[in-house]
Amino acid sequence: MKKNMVKQSLSVLMISLMAMTPFQQTAHGKTKLDINADAAILVEADTGKIVYKEHEDQLLGIASMTKMMTEYLVLEAIEEGKIKWDQKYKVSDKVYQLANAPGLSNVPLRADEEYTVRELYDAMVIKSGNGAAIALSEVVAGSEGEFVKRMNAKAKELGFENYQFVNSSGLSNYDMLGMFPKGTDVNDENMVSAEDMATLAYYLIHDFPEVLETSGLSSKIFRPGTDEELVMKNTNGLLKDKSYFYKGADGLKTGTTPFAGSTFTGTAERDGVRYISVILDAKDEYGQPSSAERFIQTSELLDYGFDEFETVKYSLSDIDKKKEPTLEVPDGKEQSVTIKIDKPLSIRVTKDEKDKVKASVKLDEEKLNDDGTLQAPIEKGEKIGEMMIETPEKNEYIFDEKQPSYKVDIYAAESVEKASWLVRSARSIQSFFGNLF
């Protein structure tokens, strides 16, 4: 995937600040973690910036992490009003057989029974129910074959570059009892690169943050109070009361098949900072697929993000700590205006590199005189420019077109009326003689 440099702009006012940049050290692989997997990536959830990567563009099996795309399309259909949470689904013969097949991860679904979309969704997200995922594909698209077309179309829309979706559940097609989706082959597998899985996680969290309310549950009872009551235990080992509990973890999805090995897309938030990690085919010290290692290595990735980086905030007060920031308005009744921003501008940076990040202010050219100063009149609350962070290094992101907003609008804190022609003329004459003598 093409990587982009954060664009730099000419600044009217430049502030050199003590700061740090992680991009050279981490995104370019100069620091190696103890990751033993076919591919791995760590991404800032707010910006999509790649913090760490290994073989991130390699097309690999993802197993039940496929269900993240199914989740996205279900939540999108809910949002668009095409389906409803309380909508009933009558179990098809295909879903019944696959939901009760020995050896497959499932919440058993009864033949001809009706289940709500919410029940099926919970079974898919928490218990990784394959039958539930296929049922939801039929709810959304009428058939799993049609749903698979939508999965691949959505992947393209979200900017994936290395992907192949062949069913809604993440099963190997050859495990689907001959009922694999129309248009696919019995030997087909769901395959996506680590970077594109991180992209899916990014959009899933940003577009439908409610997904974390379900993925973060350690367990939930399926159909409580009925003879189908079942405790669904989450397969995510980082959640509360799990073997590899990680503070702040609340998603997203595991995956395990002989083809894909042990995979995991994780996410955790601490003190308002969230990271997304992907591990594809985690292995133990003997080179064998390891369910435990996917959680151990994910914890190491997340620790790297939380421990090696800190949030640095920039505000206009950094320009001059002795007074409120102001800018000259030579042709105004008052010859300066106080400026403000709604909130500080922040960036995650390493703790061991300094003086490589600069904050700058760029004023709106339409509001400037020929000499580059602000022109009156100015209304209180009027946007007059932007404060932004500029980095000298290349910044790598999980997407091409959508770059992070390392900038914030600058407003006038007060109104400034334009001075009369007589006053402006007098000032010009005074300035002329002042320069002369």
Side-chain angles (χ1 to χ4, degrees), residues 34-37 65 234-239 242-246 249 251-256 262-267 277-283 290-303:
D34 187 20
I35 303 300
N36 186 15
M65 293 197 307
N234 202 314
T235 56
N236 183 350
L238 300 187
L239 299 179
K242 298 290 185 177
S243 300
Y244 301 94
F245 169 69
Y246 190 89
L252 273 162
K253 193 71 193 71
T254 59
T256 307
S262 291
T263 66
F264 182 46
T265 298
T267 185
S277 64
V278 179
I279 292 283
L280 297 182
D281 197 3
K283 297 176 176 64
S290 170
S291 177
E293 280 296 325
R294 61 182 166 184
F295 301 127
I296 295 170
Q297 294 176 32
T298 292
S299 295
E300 186 174 353
L301 281 173
L302 293 172
D303 280 345

Side-chain angles (χ1 to χ4, degrees), residues 175 204 209:
D175 281 332
L204 186 57

Side-chain angles (χ1 to χ4, degrees), residues 38-257:
D38 284 353
I41 195 168
L42 179 67
V43 171
E44 283 185 2
D46 284 344
T47 65
K49 185 190 74 183
I50 298 173
V51 176
Y52 187 84
K53 63 178 184 178
E54 289 186 24
H55 309 298
E56 75 287 354
D57 288 329
Q58 189 172 341
L59 187 63
L60 296 167
I62 58 170
S64 278
M65 293 197 307
T66 299
K67 294 182 176 74
M68 289 168 56
M69 179 60 84
T70 301
E71 292 170 33
Y72 190 99
L73 292 176
V74 168
L75 293 170
E76 184 177 62
I78 291 284
E79 183 179 67
E80 294 174 352
K82 295 178 180 178
I83 64 174
K84 298 180 179 179
W85 286 120
D86 59 358
Q87 181 175 329
K88 295 290 185 69
Y89 163 82
K90 187 175 181 179
V91 175
S92 65
D93 181 62
K94 172 182 176 177
V95 167
Y96 169 72
Q97 291 189 55
L98 290 171
N100 293 277
L104 302 184
S105 177
N106 269 310
V107 170
L109 302 176
R110 294 182 176 180
D112 296 324
E113 181 62 83
E114 290 187 342
Y115 298 90
T116 66
V117 167
R118 170 61 74 179
E119 289 173 331
L120 296 169
Y121 177 82
D122 288 347
M124 173 180 67
V125 176
I126 299 170
K127 187 65 171 63
S128 197
N130 292 300
I134 299 168
L136 288 168
S137 75
E138 294 179 356
V139 172
V140 173
S143 70
E144 190 176 19
E146 180 59 34
F147 189 80
V148 168
K149 294 179 184 178
R150 299 188 187 186
M151 296 174 80
N152 286 291
K154 181 58 66 174
K156 182 178 180 180
E157 178 186 325
L158 296 180
F160 289 20
E161 291 190 347
N162 302 287
Y163 64 94
Q164 173 182 277
F165 289 101
V166 300
N167 62 53
S168 61
S169 65
L171 288 170
S172 295
N173 266 3
Y174 61 73
D175 281 332
M176 295 186 69
L177 309 180
M179 294 178 287
F180 51 86
K182 183 179 180 181
T184 67
D185 184 82
V186 65
N187 295 313
D188 284 345
E189 297 278 356
N190 294 284
M191 302 176 70
V192 180
S193 70
E195 183 170 342
D196 287 334
M197 282 307 304
T199 301
L200 176 56
Y202 173 91
Y203 283 110
L204 186 57
I205 291 171
H206 280 259
D207 294 347
F208 308 105
E210 63 271 23
V211 71
L212 298 173
E213 297 174 8
T214 305
S215 68
L217 294 175
S218 295
S219 64
K220 186 175 182 178
I221 298 177
F222 180 74
R223 290 205 150 185
T226 71
D227 59 358
E228 291 184 80
E229 182 175 309
L230 171 72
V231 177
M232 300 183 293
K233 295 182 179 180
N234 202 314
T235 56
N236 183 350
L238 300 187
L239 299 179
K240 185 178 180 182
D241 300 325
K242 298 290 185 177
S243 300
Y244 301 94
F245 169 69
Y246 190 89
K247 181 181 177 182
D250 52 5
L252 273 162
K253 193 71 193 71
T254 59
T256 307
T257 64

Side-chain angles (χ1 to χ4, degrees), residues 9-16 319 358-361 388 390:
S9 59
L10 294 176
S11 302
V12 175
L13 184 61
M14 180 67 73
I15 318 152
S16 295
I319 300 173
K358 294 180 180 179
S360 63
V361 171
M388 63 193 71
E390 299 173 286

